Amino acid sequence: MRLFLRPNDGLFFRDGRPFSSGQQTEGYSIFPPLPSTLMGAIRSAYIAQEGGLIDFLAGEMESAIGTHSSMQKASLNLKGIFVGKSDNEDEVYYPVPKDLVTVKNSSENELFPLSLEESDFYSSSSLENVLTYQGSEVVTSPTGWLIQSQLRKFLLGQKAELTYLKPDFIIDEPKIGIKRNTATHTAEEGMLYRLTMKRFKTADHGLIVDLSGIDQLAQEGLLRLGGEGKTCIRQSFSMQTNPLSDQDIKLISEKIEERRLFKLYLATPAIFEHGWRPKCLGDDGIWKIITNS
């Protein structure tokens, strides 16, 4: 199941920095939201649809969305969160991979790959192999998105003519507020705050959620999401979020077998057992094959 979430208002997703009344005046936002945020919103929508909080706390929805303390037995699986658009030509956008850079302060949107070739670059990294840029220009990591056809080219190792979408279809919308005394309805001193909401420039753009194991959830309706109880209209989304065909995956497997190298691209944030390092990556930077036997 793939859902397209069309926001009815600006959205706000807090990061991990403190935002305490009277101490921190600005609430910082991240975008798109973390998988945990969407998981909570989807579970809440399912609870509202299937009977309410009492039935959920009684364990009657455990097989679908788990309990208040565990999702071990839940069939719900969140495959990914993406930005995209839903119109006559549906499209999914993906974060620009970290090994692609663009020329600093350039008005162009061309991307250039980093490589493992030897250079005069020095790093404090504990890993032997460091990705570097081989050109003479000053480059930077861009903030933007790849459309599906461009991500497919990247994953297949085609490095020429890669371009990205600049994030100008997402607007920062500052919101100023102040806490009021509930008895006198007057502003409280030192309680001024500022939030930066995120708003899509057009109604065609929104968030795409790829789910499985929860087919009972109605694909149309409202979904509360993010801070301040903002809502999105949810509807079905037809386009696949995986840009690779079975033939593409076969080709990639053959290249890995031949070169003994591969690249891992994460379209959504991940926290592994050792933080950024997957369990199968050894201290020497070599991937290990791990079995359950």
Side-chain angles (χ1 to χ4, degrees):
M1 175 192 297
R2 290 173 298 279
L3 299 177
F4 182 79
L5 306 181
R6 194 187 309 274
N8 291 316
D9 202 346
L11 297 175
F12 177 70
F13 305 105
R14 280 232 359 244
D15 65 3
R17 282 175 282 190
F19 186 43
S20 304
S21 298
Q23 299 179 25
Q24 181 67 28
T25 60
E26 182 162 5
Y28 296 95
S29 178
I30 57 175
F31 194 85
L34 296 175
S36 56
T37 301
L38 259 299
M39 183 66 84
I42 294 295
R43 294 177 79 206
S44 295
Y46 184 86
I47 292 169
Q49 173 186 299
E50 295 298 312
L53 194 58
I54 293 177
D55 292 339
F56 170 70
L57 294 175
E60 297 182 12
M61 305 178 195
E62 182 177 5
S63 61
I65 63 171
T67 66
H68 71 285
S69 60
S70 173
M71 290 192 63
Q72 186 173 358
K73 298 181 179 180
S75 61
L76 172 60
N77 180 33
L78 179 59
K79 297 181 179 180
I81 304 163
F82 310 92
V83 173
K85 67 176 183 178
S86 178
D87 53 16
N88 295 331
E89 298 180 3
D90 291 351
E91 186 61 86
V92 183
Y93 302 156
Y94 308 84
V96 174
K98 295 301 184 184
D99 63 339
L100 293 178
V101 295
T102 189
V103 175
K104 191 172 183 178
N105 299 326
S106 172
S107 60
E108 303 297 326
N109 61 349
E110 188 175 0
L111 292 167
F112 304 96
L114 303 178
S115 68
L116 287 173
E117 297 178 23
E118 292 185 5
S119 69
D120 295 331
F121 180 82
Y122 294 95
S123 169
S124 60
S125 172
S126 59
L127 301 179
E128 292 184 7
N129 300 315
V130 179
L131 292 168
T132 58
Y133 177 63
Q134 301 301 314
S136 58
E137 303 90 348
V138 177
V139 294
T140 185
S141 297
T143 300
W145 312 87
L146 297 186
I147 62 174
Q148 193 165 95
S149 59
Q150 290 287 300
L151 180 61
R152 178 177 177 271
K153 283 178 59 177
F154 167 78
L155 295 176
L156 290 175
Q158 302 170 14
K159 301 178 181 179
E161 298 181 355
L162 286 173
T163 59
Y164 73 103
L165 290 176
K166 296 185 178 182
D168 52 7
F169 59 92
I170 303 173
I171 303 170
D172 284 346
E173 194 173 73
K175 175 184 176 182
I176 306 297
I178 193 167
K179 184 178 179 181
R180 295 198 306 172
N181 186 295
T182 55
T184 63
H185 299 288
T186 57
E188 292 194 15
E189 185 176 350
M191 294 296 179
L192 187 70
Y193 66 90
R194 180 180 184 270
L195 303 176
T196 301
M197 315 290 284
K198 300 288 185 178
R199 182 186 295 273
F200 290 105
K201 187 176 288 187
T202 71
D204 291 336
H205 289 93
L207 296 171
I208 299 160
V209 187
D210 198 340
L211 303 163
S212 65
I214 192 171
D215 294 337
Q216 312 95 308
L217 180 67
Q219 296 190 27
E220 296 184 355
L222 287 178
L223 183 78
R224 292 186 63 179
L225 183 63
E228 302 192 344
K230 303 297 184 180
T231 61
C232 299
I233 298 173
R234 69 177 189 263
Q235 62 191 57
S236 61
F237 187 78
S238 60
M239 188 174 186
Q240 294 284 344
T241 58
N242 186 351
L244 298 175
S245 65
D246 291 341
Q247 185 61 34
D248 292 335
I249 294 174
K250 181 180 178 182
L251 178 61
I252 291 173
S253 298
E254 291 173 353
K255 287 184 178 180
I256 293 173
E257 189 68 29
E258 175 187 349
R259 302 176 185 178
R260 311 303 296 172
L261 292 171
F262 70 92
K263 182 180 296 182
L264 179 65
Y265 170 76
L266 301 178
T268 52
I271 300 175
F272 298 101
E273 184 172 333
H274 302 296
W276 70 271
R277 295 173 66 102
K279 185 178 180 180
C280 49
L281 179 62
D283 293 335
D284 55 2
I286 299 176
W287 287 78
K288 315 294 182 184
I289 298 177
I290 296 177
T291 63
N292 294 324
S293 59

